Amino acid sequence: MTRTRARHVHRRQHIRNGAGSREPRFLILGPLEVSVDGTRLSLGGAVQERVLSVLPLEPGRVVPMARLIEAAWEGDPPTTASHQVRKAVSELRRRIPGDAVVSTEGSGYRATVTTAQLDLLEFNDRIRAAEQALRENRRTDAVAALEAALALRRGSGLAGQGGTVIESAVTVLEERWLVATEELFTLRLGMGLSGELVADLRIVVSEHPLRETLHGHLMLALYRTGRKAEALHEYARLREVLADQLGVEPVPQLARLHEEILRDDPGLVLPQPPRPPAAPEPPEARPAQVCTLPQPLSDFTGRSRELSELLACVDESDTSDDRSTRVVAVDGMGGSGKTSLAVRAAHQLADRFPDGQLHVDCADAPRVSSRWCRPARHSAICCARTASATTASPATRRPGPTCGAPRSPAADCCCSWTTPPRPNR
């Protein structure tokens, strides 16, 4: 065994005994890079790099020898091309930990890697997660998945490798990246973002000047941030580029957006985020109940007929459609118990008049008496209730003098009346 051969055997034994348990990481969404635990591996040469560039593009699939030769030599391969590819694969196996990463399948080779080992597989997984989130209307999760997928890109895929085989595959990767980018900006605009997107959109548009969807996103973002002139200029610039390079006009969707910006279409305004439900207003505090009724007599007896008749007047008012005020007058000689009867009735009716129960003694108040009644000996018990609480009752007069209480749709009045003596003729 030569010294060089011994070093190679020692190297393979070291990898399998120690570092062989460490998984390599393949990065192809940008310049080709293979690393282990963050340490970049040297692949050995141009042929090894081009062969390894093709294998991860089709993970889990057998890549025939002819495709590997075309990728390595661009249609002008040497006569020893097959031998050199086999030699390049052998060198890759020696340098990359793990015997099963590149396996031989007939006349071709297969790269067997997991999602954690290949950024392309991780990109695909995150795109699928975003699509699933959109189907379930989870827009925030879809945005997060798309952002994570696009963050894997480190530049143009497999930059610097060249060759039509690799460039064709990279074109497919670039298209998928652009579609994901457009979808991400669509979602962000739909979530109410605009000014934050302008700078990123300008960068992507400058890299892909013929991508009309991105131009539309930039126009909308500019318009929503109050930069209408810039939005219109963006359309004019795109139209000029398309006419000079391709001799075509912008797509109808973009032309329609341009017209909507010109006339300030209300549909272009920034969508408002959903407002949280308003807190229920506290119930309106009811004013403190006013009650000036005298205490009823604890030994009140008799007057059952009169009390029933008095209460019946109120019951009749509850079933009436008339909006006028009910006034009930109690007439009798002095000391016959008119006030006690009225107070008794008022206490029994108090729960029907939650806004207040008032008692006015007019005997010692001539000024008040002149407004409420003509005779001086008079007590008025007024039970108040709002019109919304109960229907106002019509005025009902029983035999005897009438009460001169003010009319109000919000109160009923029960009055005790002292009959004045007749004047001497």
Side-chain angles (χ1 to χ4, degrees):
M1 182 183 297
T2 64
R3 183 176 300 177
T4 302
R5 177 65 173 168
R7 284 201 303 269
H8 289 174
V9 171
H10 176 73
R11 170 67 175 168
R12 283 197 297 270
Q13 289 176 346
H14 171 71
I15 292 176
R16 292 173 181 173
N17 294 337
S21 60
R22 298 176 298 171
E23 291 186 342
R25 171 78 169 166
F26 298 86
L27 304 178
I28 63 175
L29 300 179
L32 177 64
E33 182 178 320
V34 183
S35 62
V36 175
D37 291 343
T39 302
R40 185 171 180 175
L41 302 181
S42 173
L43 301 178
V47 176
Q48 287 90 325
E49 289 184 359
R50 291 186 177 180
V51 168
L52 188 59
S53 295
V54 176
L55 292 174
L57 287 171
E58 303 181 43
R61 297 181 180 180
V62 177
V63 181
M65 176 66 73
R67 184 172 176 81
L68 295 174
I69 292 174
E70 184 180 359
W73 287 283
E74 275 295 309
D76 188 22
T79 56
T80 59
S82 299
H83 174 71
Q84 291 191 46
V85 168
R86 285 191 289 269
K87 184 178 179 180
V89 171
S90 177
E91 183 67 16
L92 290 172
R93 287 171 174 168
R94 186 183 68 82
R95 293 174 178 270
I96 301 174
D99 292 337
V101 172
V102 180
S103 58
T104 304
E105 301 287 342
S107 60
Y109 296 93
R110 183 204 310 268
T112 305
V113 290
T114 63
T115 301
Q117 291 180 277
L118 180 60
D119 58 355
L120 176 59
L121 292 179
E122 185 178 351
F123 176 85
N124 294 339
D125 278 1
R126 294 187 183 277
I127 294 298
R128 284 191 291 267
E131 293 170 349
Q132 180 64 29
L134 285 177
R135 284 192 292 269
E136 298 173 358
N137 201 28
R138 295 183 288 109
R139 293 182 175 272
T140 302
D141 293 341
V143 168
L146 287 172
E147 288 176 342
L150 296 177
L152 295 171
R153 184 177 184 264
R154 300 171 296 113
S156 180
L158 296 173
Q161 296 305 316
T164 56
V165 173
I166 296 177
E167 287 179 357
S168 298
V170 169
T171 301
V172 175
L173 293 180
E174 192 72 7
E175 177 63 23
R176 296 186 63 191
W177 180 84
L178 282 171
V179 170
T181 300
E182 292 172 348
E183 183 63 29
L184 177 59
F185 282 119
T186 300
L187 291 174
R188 284 174 167 175
L189 286 168
M191 295 171 68
L193 300 179
S194 53
E196 306 92 325
L197 308 180
V198 171
D200 292 338
L201 279 167
R202 286 197 184 279
I203 294 174
V204 180
V205 165
S206 65
E207 295 175 352
H208 305 276
L210 300 181
R211 202 77 179 187
E212 293 174 89
T213 301
L214 292 174
H215 282 277
H217 289 335
L218 178 57
M219 290 169 59
L220 185 56
L222 288 169
Y223 177 78
R224 286 181 174 174
T225 53
R227 299 155 72 176
K228 179 179 179 180
E230 292 183 57
L232 296 174
H233 175 73
E234 186 65 31
Y235 179 81
R237 189 170 63 86
L238 171 64
R239 187 179 183 186
E240 182 180 354
V241 169
L242 292 177
D244 290 345
Q245 297 188 15
L246 304 175
V248 298
E249 289 288 324
V251 294
Q253 296 89 333
L254 207 57
R256 185 164 53 250
L257 175 61
H258 175 253
E259 294 174 359
E260 291 171 348
I261 292 175
L262 280 173
R263 65 172 186 266
D264 293 317
D265 191 287
L268 299 179
V269 296
L270 187 69
Q272 297 296 323
R275 296 182 178 180
E281 296 184 1
E284 183 179 356
R286 294 183 62 87
Q289 189 185 66
V290 178
C291 180
T292 62
L293 298 178
Q295 290 296 323
L297 296 176
S298 59
D299 57 351
F300 182 88
T301 57
R303 304 294 186 188
S304 299
R305 182 181 61 81
E306 290 82 356
L307 183 60
S308 298
E309 183 181 1
L310 201 159
L311 297 177
C313 292
V314 179
D315 292 336
E316 291 175 8
S317 70
D318 288 340
T319 60
S320 174
D321 293 332
D322 200 306
R323 305 290 294 179
S324 59
T325 303
R326 162 90 47 185
V327 178
V328 181
V330 181
D331 184 18
M333 298 298 293
S336 61
K338 302 179 299 300
T339 299
S340 297
L341 175 63
V343 170
R344 186 75 173 184
H347 277 286
Q348 293 192 18
L349 295 171
D351 59 341
R352 302 194 194 182
F353 299 86
D355 295 309
Q357 307 90 40
L358 305 178
H359 170 260
V360 180
D361 188 352
C362 302
D364 300 322
R367 183 178 61 83
V368 175
S369 176
S370 65
R371 292 184 55 197
W372 283 70
C373 54
R374 288 185 296 271
R377 299 296 299 173
H378 174 206
S379 293
I381 293 89
C382 179
C383 298
R385 55 184 168 185
T386 59
S388 60
T390 184
T391 303
S393 58
T396 300
R397 293 174 174 83
R398 294 297 183 235
T402 59
C403 177
R407 298 249 173 158
S408 169
D412 285 0
C413 186
C414 177
C415 304
S416 64
W417 187 277
T418 300
T419 301
R422 294 183 178 182
N424 294 326
R425 292 184 180 179

